[in-house]
Amino acid sequence: MTTAEVSPALLLLSQARQRFLAGRPLPADVPAETVAAWRRARFLGVRHDVRQADSVDGRALDSALLAAARPVLERLAPALGSRSMLLLTDERPRVLWAAGAAPGGATRRDLAEREVGHNSAALALRIRRRAEVHGPEHFLDVWQDVSAVSVPVFAPESGRPLGTITVASGLCADAGPHPGAALAEAATAAVEAELLARSRSAERTLLDAYARAAHVPGGGQGGSQERAVVALDGRNRLVSEAAGRLVSPQVLESLERGARALLQSSAPVGSYDIALPEGAGCTAEFHPVQEQGDGRVLGIVAVLEPVPEGAVVRAVPRPVAGRLAGSSVPWLYAVGRAGELAHGSEPLLLTGERGSGKTALARELLGGAQPLVLDAAEAPELGLGEAELSGPRPLLLRHAERLAQSDVAALNGILDERPDVHLLATYTPGTPPGPCLQRLLDTLAARSVTVPALRERPEDIRELLPALTPRAADGTPPLTWTLDALRALERYPWPGNLTELTHLVRTLAENRRASGPVGRAELPDPVREGPAARPLSPMEHAERTAILEALRRNGGNKARTAAALGIARATLYRKLREYRA
């Protein structure tokens, strides 16, 4: 595509990108979100001039999403243009499958922002809707003549994003809408329908395996005898009456967490085993439930037996500190990467949203060491110098984004002379950093880890809940949750991350008067009702909150709610449809 065909807006944006890479001031009319994306890429240490192409053969990254999507995508691939490419990514996002010709040969296996900077697949997963990125909006040089559109693929039951379907082509003259958007939308709808069909088939297979295990011949007069059986597939939990009488809710939660971890780990079928908590009162025999035909493991059936007299049931290790629980891919990747970088004495930067667990992870990485902790949010100036960084204790520096200019300058000078100081810093991105702080971030970028937000790892919530629940008083049953409440917690975006979840759990544990599991009706209105269908302005968010609160006060009666708000019922119905409340 010649430059004459490109829109003036893209030409101006391309010139602004060159100024950004050269460190020159940018024009005032450059979109703020584009500049923020470029700055994130530079902060993460992405090289704009990387040209090496990766293999995108998806066989090494086989997954349930790929199995469901491949037949759909192979049918649609012939509709691609001559300079277009159709890709399937997972939630990280890594490319699982690709067809067509990459514009300019610019293919990459890992599309995470920390690897390649701004791109449509990572953006679609972050905003949970269709996203387009054109030419100079990308950070990489090899994508300056590429336009791409990505549509997120959601799990049919949980609504969790599983990955994206992306169409990449030569640069669009008008910077959108992308001509491949309709194809990406259609492919996503077809893949989600296939996932739903497979999920229902898998549920039937799990139910059949559960019924066979729970009822065995016996009981007299040709009847059957019920056994204590639990069937799990990571989403559903089937518990026989005998199992419900035998085990506690804590044992059921342990079984569910163990099953989910085994199913995600692709462990050999013969090695399926889950350690029961101390004092479980039973033993368990585990049987994988496999799909007929391809042998794919769909779930696990546990046959439980009371502990024989004198037998000892092995205990699972004690969980890590509350904020470090989790077995999701983004969380394990971040913790593993941070652990690798923390082995030496060089600086390490943990970046992430407020409340995401940066400080808790930092303390875990320091192990038994007693660090010198300095918090830039608690004092206008810390007076950083050689004494703080050369002592025998490591330095844990919190809220680096709020450092005074003098402290930033001192830290830059020390790191220039001694790049191996034992410094562990946390940073919460927000307003664009000044030149001095940006230099510090650039220095630490090569040894930085992004801690994922809670909304990026909703599958960890079930593991976090028991770890975050305060110890129950003697004689008081521990806090448990209905599946409906758990699903609401997993769908909520958690803008306050772990801090917000911890406050909710502690408030319920300390103030709750009801007995039994926590139901969805007991959750705060925003959590119970779930996120809005689209990003809301501050005014819309306030209006939606007021409507939900009025509905709660009026027992869900829409006529009384409309009267209380002083609006017509038709207006209330319209707003509920707009917000999908």
Side-chain angles (χ1 to χ4, degrees), residues 39-123:
R39 284 176 171 156
R40 282 198 306 273
R42 184 172 64 179
F43 170 73
L44 293 168
V46 178
R47 289 183 53 188
H48 67 88
D49 56 353
V50 172
R51 294 187 174 275
Q52 182 179 356
D54 297 334
S55 167
V56 293
D57 180 6
R59 288 175 294 181
L61 294 174
D62 197 14
S63 68
L65 174 61
L66 177 58
R70 188 192 291 272
V72 174
L73 299 177
E74 288 178 345
R75 290 196 301 270
L76 294 175
L80 290 171
S82 58
R83 292 185 64 243
S84 296
M85 194 171 197
L86 181 63
L87 304 101
L88 172 74
T89 78
D90 63 12
E91 76 283 0
R92 288 187 59 168
R94 300 170 301 178
V95 177
L96 302 176
W97 180 95
T107 60
R108 302 291 298 176
R109 177 63 172 270
D110 192 341
L111 298 180
E113 269 201 287
R114 63 179 174 272
E115 298 292 336
V116 297
H118 191 47
N119 65 88
S120 62
L123 178 60

Side-chain angles (χ1 to χ4, degrees), residues 29 72 87 275 277 296 427 444 537 545 576-577:
D29 56 351
V72 174
L87 304 101
R296 182 167 58 94
Y427 174 77
L444 299 175
S537 68
T545 301
L576 289 174
R577 284 194 303 271

Side-chain angles (χ1 to χ4, degrees), residues 467-511:
L468 296 177
T469 302
R471 182 182 298 276
D474 293 341
T476 304
L479 209 60
T480 58
W481 309 77
T482 65
L483 286 178
D484 198 29
L486 289 172
R487 292 190 182 105
L489 294 172
E490 290 169 343
R491 285 195 295 267
Y492 182 62
W494 298 108
N497 291 297
L498 287 167
T499 301
E500 185 179 3
L501 177 61
T502 301
H503 180 72
L504 183 149
V505 171
R506 289 179 178 173
T507 300
L508 282 170
E510 294 169 1
N511 302 323

Side-chain angles (χ1 to χ4, degrees), residues 50 55 69 73 98 106 154-155 165 239 281 293 297 339 364 373 387 403 459 475 574:
V50 172
S55 167
L73 299 177
F154 295 100
I165 291 176
V239 184
V297 178
E364 183 72 14
V373 181
L403 281 170
E459 59 270 39
R574 175 175 58 80

Side-chain angles (χ1 to χ4, degrees), residues 157-159 235-237 253 256 458 461-462 465 480-492 494 504 508 512 516-531:
E157 283 88 8
S158 66
R235 300 182 306 275
N236 303 290
R237 184 169 73 190
E253 290 292 339
E256 191 166 84
I461 287 178
R462 299 195 186 195
L465 289 173
T480 58
W481 309 77
T482 65
L483 286 178
D484 198 29
L486 289 172
R487 292 190 182 105
L489 294 172
E490 290 169 343
R491 285 195 295 267
Y492 182 62
W494 298 108
L504 183 149
L508 282 170
R512 190 167 180 258
V518 176
R520 179 171 179 159
E522 298 179 68
L523 300 177
D525 289 343
V527 181
R528 183 180 67 249
E529 299 298 337

